[in-house]
Amino acid sequence: MFNVLVVDDDFYVAKINAHYVSKVPGFRVAGIVHSAAPALAAVESGGIDLILLDQFLPNESGLSLTRRLRQMCHDVDVIMVTADRRPASVHEALRAGALYYLAKPFTSDGLRSKLEAYAQLRGNIDEGTEMDQARIDRTFGALRTPDAEHAIPKGYSERTAELILRIVAKYGADRQVSAQDVSDLARISRSTAQRYLKYLAGNGKLRLTLRYGDSGRPQHLYSGL
């Protein structure tokens, strides 16, 4: 079981991310904090395997905290989960020792895939036997999406995917579109539209935005890149 610390200054987003983590077998939410100081205190108390770390925190950035954790030799892994898409920040995260950089907003499936890859990575390392080059390559590539994953998966139609991309590009230029909008315009069921939109956003072909309302469940809206 991997213990995960969720760190985000937005209380609602932190709660959503923790809910996503709790749905992945083998992972447990060990705590939720909203700034760097309690995050460091939680790590120093022990028992944290992985931090889902936002960049924009009060008083100290997520990247600064990551560097401090490395300087203090804490045995904890970091996945950045942030809306900061600046190339310099991504580069600095790599230099600071973050395992991965997951750009907000993301879906439950998007985070699940990275957590499952993390479990695979830890499994490769924790076996304790000498590693050959093939196993080393698998370990270093565990959190990276191979090109094969960008191919259209079984059960999807390339033609439908291209149609949805055209619709979002046309109508999403002025406004974000929902699964219901795409359903009406493409003349497909809402569930099919939703499934394709999630797939295309997960592959980085569309931009996903979560709009939070009074119901507590975010609305998924899509636009072109």
Side-chain angles (χ1 to χ4, degrees):
M1 181 70 68
F2 296 108
N3 293 316
V4 181
L5 179 67
V6 177
V7 185
D8 200 296
D9 69 324
D10 187 313
F11 283 63
Y12 190 76
V13 171
K15 185 177 179 181
I16 291 291
N17 290 349
H19 175 65
Y20 287 170
V21 171
S22 69
K23 294 168 62 178
V24 183
F27 288 83
R28 184 180 75 87
V29 178
I32 303 174
V33 298
H34 307 289
S35 61
L40 180 58
V43 171
E44 290 179 334
S45 295
I48 304 297
D49 299 298
L50 175 67
I51 305 177
L52 298 185
L53 182 59
D54 190 17
Q55 162 69 334
F56 300 115
L57 300 173
N59 303 321
E60 183 178 5
S61 72
L63 288 176
S64 173
L65 176 59
T66 302
R67 287 192 293 270
R68 280 214 292 156
L69 290 169
R70 294 291 168 259
Q71 290 166 0
M72 298 169 73
C73 299
H74 284 298
D75 185 18
V76 63
D77 295 313
V78 173
I79 294 179
M80 299 296 297
V81 287
T82 174
D84 186 356
R85 297 168 178 260
R86 293 173 297 177
S89 296
V90 177
H91 185 212
E92 184 56 35
L94 288 171
R95 290 168 58 95
L99 284 181
Y100 197 74
Y101 198 100
L102 187 58
K104 295 179 181 176
F106 48 82
T107 64
S108 174
D109 289 342
L111 179 57
R112 172 189 286 268
S113 69
K114 297 310 172 190
L115 292 180
E116 290 174 345
Y118 173 77
Q120 177 185 350
L121 179 152
R122 285 289 301 269
N124 282 339
I125 293 174
D126 293 346
E127 284 182 13
T129 58
E130 185 172 303
M131 301 173 73
D132 59 20
Q133 188 61 52
R135 190 170 144 208
I136 292 171
D137 291 342
R138 287 196 302 272
T139 300
F140 271 84
L143 282 162
R144 296 176 176 84
T145 304
D147 292 340
E149 291 187 16
H150 289 283
I152 196 82
K154 186 177 181 180
Y156 288 76
S157 162
E158 189 74 48
R159 184 175 180 180
T160 302
E162 290 176 356
L163 172 62
I164 291 174
L165 283 173
R166 288 198 301 270
I167 288 172
V168 176
K170 180 177 180 180
Y171 294 94
D174 301 318
R175 62 182 180 88
Q176 295 169 320
V177 297
S178 66
Q180 187 61 59
D181 294 329
V182 172
S183 171
D184 295 339
L185 292 165
R187 297 183 180 180
I188 58 178
S189 70
R190 185 181 182 282
S191 62
T192 298
Q194 193 169 41
R195 185 163 58 93
Y196 274 85
L197 287 166
K198 286 179 67 175
Y199 159 70
L200 293 168
N203 272 0
K205 295 181 179 179
L206 294 177
R207 186 184 301 278
L208 166 65
T209 301
L210 301 181
R211 178 180 295 169
Y212 298 94
D214 296 333
S215 65
R217 188 172 184 177
Q219 182 184 13
H220 291 62
L221 299 172
Y222 299 86
S223 57
L225 299 177

